[in-house]
Amino acid sequence: MRGRFLRTVTALVFLGIGAYLIAAFARSMTAPETVTARRVSVTDTLFAEGRILRDEVYLDCPYDTECFTVAEGQRVSAGALIYSDGDGDSYYSPCGGFFAGDRIVRNGWYFETDIEDTDRLYEGRSISLVFLGNTHPAVVESVDGKRVLIRCREGLGDVLYLDTAEAELNLGTVTGTAVPEASVF
């Protein structure tokens, strides 16, 4: 009887030790911490101050503003009547573009700036030029040392009366997935 009792006690001790080891192992094998991956976009941007250059044709007509038949900033086509004083004096637009009082502005515009970091700019690169709350598609025309000339074909109406401007040059946007550093082994 005594042998049976010792075997039972020994079995219970081994069962207790086994249960303790299983519990310790289970505690160490908890589920990994949940992490959240998110989609992010990063825009490569340069900030610059520069000059606005336009292709302008100055008009040789009288400057009596009451006789203009078009409004400031209005688009005119080549040959359109832009001045008539009622005495038979008329003046027609020599080219198409935007009427700016004493000139016709045509063929887009340029932004000329000096930038220290021209490594990321090269001739022919497509970028976006952002200023005055508007984004304009543009192309880098030339890079000469620190001097950069950027051509814009849209938004001419926004720059009719500007000589200088501060602008953002958006060189591109990279989109990817961001994960917390703790989730990377």
Side-chain angles (χ1 to χ4, degrees):
M1 177 99 159
R2 194 175 158 136
R4 192 192 255 179
F5 175 74
L6 284 176
R7 276 186 286 188
T8 304
V9 169
T10 304
L12 287 175
V13 168
F14 279 120
L15 282 175
I17 292 173
Y20 178 77
L21 290 175
I22 290 173
F25 180 73
R27 193 173 320 130
S28 70
M29 295 302 295
T30 58
E33 181 183 334
T34 302
V35 295
T36 303
R38 58 185 173 21
R39 189 167 188 81
V40 293
S41 294
V42 178
T43 302
D44 187 10
T45 303
L46 294 172
F47 294 92
E49 185 175 330
R51 294 181 338 149
I52 304 293
L53 306 172
R54 295 171 291 270
D55 181 8
E56 302 173 321
V57 175
Y58 283 87
L59 305 176
D60 292 337
C61 64
Y63 297 113
D64 182 4
T65 57
E66 296 172 4
C67 298
F68 286 124
T69 60
V70 294
E72 288 274 332
Q74 182 178 345
R75 183 177 284 279
V76 295
S77 58
L81 178 67
I82 58 173
Y83 178 85
S84 179
D85 64 4
D87 293 334
D89 291 331
S90 298
Y91 191 81
Y92 297 91
S93 175
C95 59
F98 284 92
F99 178 69
D102 61 343
R103 65 194 188 279
I104 303 289
V105 183
R106 61 184 182 166
N107 296 332
W109 53 282
Y110 294 90
F111 182 72
E112 181 182 52
T113 185
D114 289 333
I115 298 176
E116 292 292 326
D117 182 17
T118 59
D119 295 342
R120 297 175 285 168
L121 297 172
Y122 52 85
E123 291 181 22
R125 179 169 186 178
S126 296
I127 64 171
S128 295
L129 190 66
V130 180
F131 74 100
L132 299 176
N134 297 317
T135 301
H136 305 287
V139 173
V140 176
E141 283 284 312
S142 67
V143 178
D144 184 17
K146 295 179 183 179
R147 178 130 320 177
V148 178
L149 184 65
I150 300 166
R151 179 175 175 75
C152 296
R153 293 192 182 270
E154 297 177 12
L156 182 58
D158 294 340
V159 297
L160 279 180
Y161 305 105
L162 293 178
D163 291 326
T164 61
E166 291 181 7
E168 268 181 45
L169 282 64
N170 289 341
L171 306 179
T173 301
V174 176
T175 302
T177 304
V179 294
E181 189 174 329
S183 65
V184 179
F185 297 108

